[in-house]
């Protein structure tokens, strides 16, 4: 993107912000990378520019876009952090330092290096979440230009993208980005399957679009007399999510259902439920398909009502109902919260609170000493399948699938985890390694003076529980 275009796109959503620093960062980055090329043979700055473009698309604030333009300056040019700080201030420099790769560190294995990279990145993120947003923009462009690297590197980077970056984007609620990263990774990891599926989906596209348009129209009719403000969007699934479903259900593409979906977007929470009522009186809902992520939001801030209904032609369609604000959060995730409101740099007042889980989680991860354990815990906690478990008081805790009663105890409170001796799930006594399901009500039994056992590490999955247990065992000299 040309400089003028970048400034213009930024000013469109932040009309009252002075763009002088952005223009300066642009020129500075062009100059700093002047003699460098990417593997593609392109000028290196093309990469910095692409990262900044994504950040503008996500409507990030000015310091973030500056840091995006400058993100590889410290790593790949002789420019020092001091120079950067003198030119652009501490805020931008700290973000660049956070993003800077750590290739020069020596590690015993690739896994160690990868784990250390993640640890550093998450540490930086704990101080400023915008760092991870830049890192994700960086990864997106690297994935788009992966064809210029050798096969082995392609697979390694695509694998890392699929197991870590895409789930992280999901965790941050950036669904568009998540699908983009997944589909790119899918293409490199399973080229034959990708090609095959891509063809089939494209071949079906015409019929699917007709069906979807018809269904959209019938929803439109059903809602027309409701006097509730709304707009309806048609939705298609990403190739990777269709492929994952084929693997999970062990079915060919032709038998995969609910690849069709519509979204209804309205103004208030009350109207979401009102619209759901109308939808359910007009279309037969599929039993057990209704999920209320408004009263029980996901950990990544996602909120919406989900229901699957039978369309007029007997086809299954998933309907998601949400407010405009929920929709913004769903599309852009945490990035949505940095959006400028009529030129002010106002951040979402509740953002800090909402992101506390992320900071805490990062802290727990810091405690895990072995790179392997760190990466395993990271992958587990990023796991997309969550279970929602209730305390006896009705408070809900989100845990990764496969989490045990002991994980739950630590999720409730560290002290409760530490002194845990047993658990009751739905009024029945269970062992501490009992795996929880969504909707379970779990009551933890504690005993004063009781302490963690070494074998607890064998059946805890969350970083929080593992970090606390390990910390205790290490202090007592039980484990190294
Ligand atoms: Mn980069």
């Amino acid at each position: 993107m040309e400089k003028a275009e970048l400034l213009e796109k930024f000013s469109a959503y932040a009309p009252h912000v002075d763009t002088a620093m952005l223009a300066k960062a642009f020129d500075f980055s062009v100059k700093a990378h002047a003699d460098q090329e990417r593997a593609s043979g392109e000028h290196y700055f093309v990469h910095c520019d692409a990262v900044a473009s994504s950040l503008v698309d996500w409507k990030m604030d000015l310091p973030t876009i500056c840091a995006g333009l400058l993100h590889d300056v410290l790593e790949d040019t002789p420019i020092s952090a001091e120079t950067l700080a003198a030119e652009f201030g501490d805020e931008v420099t700290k973000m660049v330092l956070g993003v800077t790769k750590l290739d020069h560190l020596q590690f015993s294995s690739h896994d160690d290096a990868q784990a250390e990279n993640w640890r550093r990145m998450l540490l930086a993120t704990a101080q400023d979440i915008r760092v991870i947003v830049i890192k994700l923009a960086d990864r997106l462009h690297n994935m788009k230009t992966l064809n210029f690297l050798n096969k082995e590197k392609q697979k390694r980077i695509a694998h890392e993208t699929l197991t870590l970056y895409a789930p992280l984007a999901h965790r941050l609620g950036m669904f568009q980005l998540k699908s983009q990263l997944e589909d790119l990774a899918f293409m490199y990891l399973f080229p034959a399957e990708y090609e095959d599926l891509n063809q089939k989906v494209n071949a079906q596209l015409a019929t699917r679009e007709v069906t979807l348009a018809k269904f959209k129209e019938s929803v439109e009719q059903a809602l027309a007399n409701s006097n509730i403000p709304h707009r309806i969007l048609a939705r298609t699934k990403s190739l990777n999510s269709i492929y994952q479903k084929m693997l999970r259900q062990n079915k060919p593409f032709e038998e995969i259902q609910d690849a069709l979906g519509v979204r209804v977007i309205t103004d208030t929470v009350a109207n979401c439920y009102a619209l759901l009522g109308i939808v359910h009186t007009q279309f037969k809902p599929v039993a057990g398909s209704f999920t209320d992520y408004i009263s029980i939001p996901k950990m990544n801030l996602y909120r919406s009502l989900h229901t699957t209904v039978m369309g007029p032609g007997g086809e299954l369609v998933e309907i998601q109902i949400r407010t405009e604000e929920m929709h913004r959060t769903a599309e852009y995730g945490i990035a949505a919260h940095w959006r400028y409101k009529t030129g002010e740099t106002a951040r979402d007042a509740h953002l800090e609170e909402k992101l506390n889980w992320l900071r805490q989680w990062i802290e727990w991860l810091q405690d895990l000493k072995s790179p392997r354990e760190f990466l395993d815990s990271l992958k587990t906690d990023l796991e997309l399948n969550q279970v929602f478990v209730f305390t006896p008081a009705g408070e809900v805790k989100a845990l990764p699938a496969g989490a045990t009663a002991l994980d739950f105890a630590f999720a409730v409170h560290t002290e409760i985890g530490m002194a845990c001796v047993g658990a009751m799930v739905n009024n029945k006594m269970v062992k501490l390694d009992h795996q929880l399901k969504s909707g379970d009500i779990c009551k933890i039994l504690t005993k004063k003076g009781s302490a963690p056992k070494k074998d607890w590490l064998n059946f805890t999955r969350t970083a929080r529980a593992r970090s606390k247990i390990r910390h205790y065992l290490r202090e007592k000299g039980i484990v190294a």
Side-chain angles (χ1 to χ4, degrees):
M1 202 183 285
E2 296 288 323
K3 182 164 76 175
E5 196 189 345
L6 190 76
L7 297 186
E8 201 178 300
K9 267 188 98 174
F10 173 77
S11 292
Y13 67 86
H16 306 294
V17 178
D18 183 2
T19 54
M21 173 124 83
L22 195 54
K24 185 176 161 187
F26 192 99
D27 295 336
F28 191 94
S29 178
V30 170
K31 212 173 140 204
H33 292 293
D35 307 324
Q36 292 166 338
E37 281 181 356
R38 294 268 292 175
S40 59
E42 278 178 313
H43 193 291
Y44 196 95
F45 178 74
V46 170
H47 169 65
C48 311
D49 192 39
V51 169
S53 282
S54 290
L55 295 171
V56 170
D57 284 344
W58 304 338
K59 299 193 169 54
M60 297 301 288
D61 66 5
L62 185 120
T64 311
I65 302 163
C66 290
L69 285 165
L70 300 165
H71 81 275
D72 276 331
V73 157
L74 294 181
E75 167 81 13
D76 297 328
T77 80
I79 286 159
S80 70
E82 289 72 32
T83 309
L84 213 55
E87 297 286 335
F88 298 99
D90 277 346
E91 189 182 2
V92 170
T93 308
K94 273 198 188 137
M95 278 193 261
V96 176
L97 282 167
V99 181
T100 298
K101 290 171 270 166
L102 298 143
D103 291 346
H104 53 280
L105 291 173
Q106 291 296 312
F107 296 99
S108 55
S109 73
H110 176 70
D111 274 353
D112 286 8
Q114 195 195 30
E116 186 58 25
N117 263 323
W118 276 85
R119 204 197 293 259
R120 297 274 174 125
M121 182 170 83
L122 291 171
L123 245 175
T125 306
Q127 276 140 35
D128 192 339
I129 310 286
R130 291 173 297 178
V131 168
I132 219 153
V133 178
I134 300 171
K135 193 77 196 170
L136 286 166
D138 180 48
R139 178 51 60 121
L140 177 62
H141 187 248
N142 286 339
M143 285 302 294
K144 283 180 180 169
T145 50
L146 207 56
N147 52 320
F148 298 104
L149 302 183
N150 66 42
K151 285 269 177 302
E152 191 206 333
K153 266 194 174 166
Q154 286 178 356
K155 296 251 183 221
R156 180 167 63 70
I157 293 173
H159 180 74
E160 191 188 42
T161 300
L162 199 60
T163 54
L164 292 166
Y165 283 92
L168 189 62
H170 183 104
R171 258 306 153 89
L172 299 178
M174 304 171 79
F175 292 108
Q176 270 187 358
L177 175 65
K178 177 207 163 223
S179 314
Q180 268 180 304
L181 289 174
E182 278 186 347
D183 278 356
L184 285 164
F186 178 40
M187 187 169 82
Y188 285 100
L189 289 173
F190 309 102
E193 290 84 348
Y194 179 89
E195 201 36 59
D196 183 49
L197 196 55
N198 199 18
Q199 270 179 18
K200 285 180 178 159
V201 169
N202 281 331
Q204 268 208 0
L205 209 57
T207 27
R208 282 172 64 197
E209 270 172 2
V210 172
T211 317
L212 201 55
K214 269 196 200 144
F215 182 75
K216 214 181 128 183
E217 213 181 287
S218 54
V219 175
E220 196 69 77
Q221 274 171 13
L223 301 182
N225 300 321
S226 66
N227 277 329
I228 299 171
H230 64 270
R231 60 193 177 100
I232 302 175
L233 305 172
R235 188 176 65 95
T236 45
K237 265 197 158 110
S238 73
L239 287 183
N240 184 66
S241 64
I242 297 173
Y243 184 62
Q244 291 308 323
K245 196 159 192 175
M246 286 162 58
L247 291 182
R248 257 198 326 271
Q249 304 188 347
N250 195 19
K251 281 181 183 168
F253 171 70
E254 292 69 22
E255 286 171 34
I256 294 296
Q257 293 195 314
D258 89 347
L260 298 173
V262 297
R263 288 199 178 109
V264 184
I265 300 169
T266 184
D267 54 350
T268 63
V269 170
N271 277 339
C272 290
Y273 291 100
L275 288 172
L276 176 77
I278 297 170
V279 165
H280 276 181
T281 53
Q282 300 286 329
F283 305 98
K284 201 175 157 56
V286 174
S289 73
F290 174 64
T291 320
D292 184 345
Y293 292 118
I294 292 181
S295 58
I296 305 174
K298 289 195 187 185
M299 262 172 92
N300 58 19
L301 317 179
Y302 178 82
R303 299 168 79 205
S304 220
L305 301 176
H306 287 195
T307 183
T308 302
V309 302
M310 186 99 76
E315 72 282 5
L316 296 182
V317 186
E318 190 189 55
I319 303 184
Q320 303 176 344
I321 305 174
R322 51 174 77 147
T323 65
E324 290 287 352
E325 199 223 322
M326 291 172 197
H327 184 56
R328 261 196 313 277
T329 303
E331 293 291 295
Y332 296 101
I334 63 162
H337 296 274
W338 269 278
R339 290 180 167 216
Y340 289 90
K341 290 171 189 157
T342 56
E344 298 150 40
T345 59
R347 274 164 60 165
D348 185 318
H350 305 293
L351 181 64
E352 294 303 316
E353 197 186 316
K354 284 174 182 165
L355 291 173
N356 266 344
W357 69 264
L358 184 62
R359 292 213 174 77
Q360 279 217 301
W361 171 63
I362 290 160
E363 255 171 54
W364 301 319
L365 284 170
Q366 300 311 313
D367 255 12
L368 302 172
K369 284 287 178 286
S370 107
R372 186 92 317 260
E373 187 176 13
F374 171 84
L375 266 192
D376 285 348
S377 291
L378 181 63
K379 283 176 186 163
T380 305
D381 279 0
L382 283 172
E383 183 121 8
L384 303 183
N385 293 322
Q386 291 182 25
V387 292
F388 299 95
V389 181
F390 294 88
T391 68
E395 204 189 325
V396 65
K397 300 282 172 198
L399 297 166
T404 58
L406 189 54
D407 284 306
F408 180 82
F410 278 93
V412 173
H413 198 283
T414 303
E415 313 248 290
I416 293 186
M418 298 299 272
C420 178
V421 289
M424 297 192 57
V425 171
N426 308 327
N427 290 322
K428 277 199 203 107
M429 280 297 289
V430 297
K431 288 193 181 151
L432 287 177
D433 63 0
H434 178 85
Q435 291 197 358
L436 299 168
K437 299 187 306 298
S438 274
D440 280 349
I441 300 169
C442 185
K443 181 179 187 309
I444 298 297
L445 311 171
T446 57
K447 201 171 131 202
K448 227 179 163 183
S450 182
K453 318 278 182 292
K454 195 174 167 186
D455 73 323
W456 282 13
L457 289 172
N458 299 336
F459 54 84
T460 36
R461 293 199 77 205
T462 55
R464 176 178 184 141
R466 298 186 69 77
S467 138
K468 301 287 178 190
I469 296 165
R470 190 168 285 280
H471 192 79
Y472 173 87
L473 296 174
R474 211 183 290 132
E475 238 169 32
K476 293 285 165 194
I478 302 170
V479 297

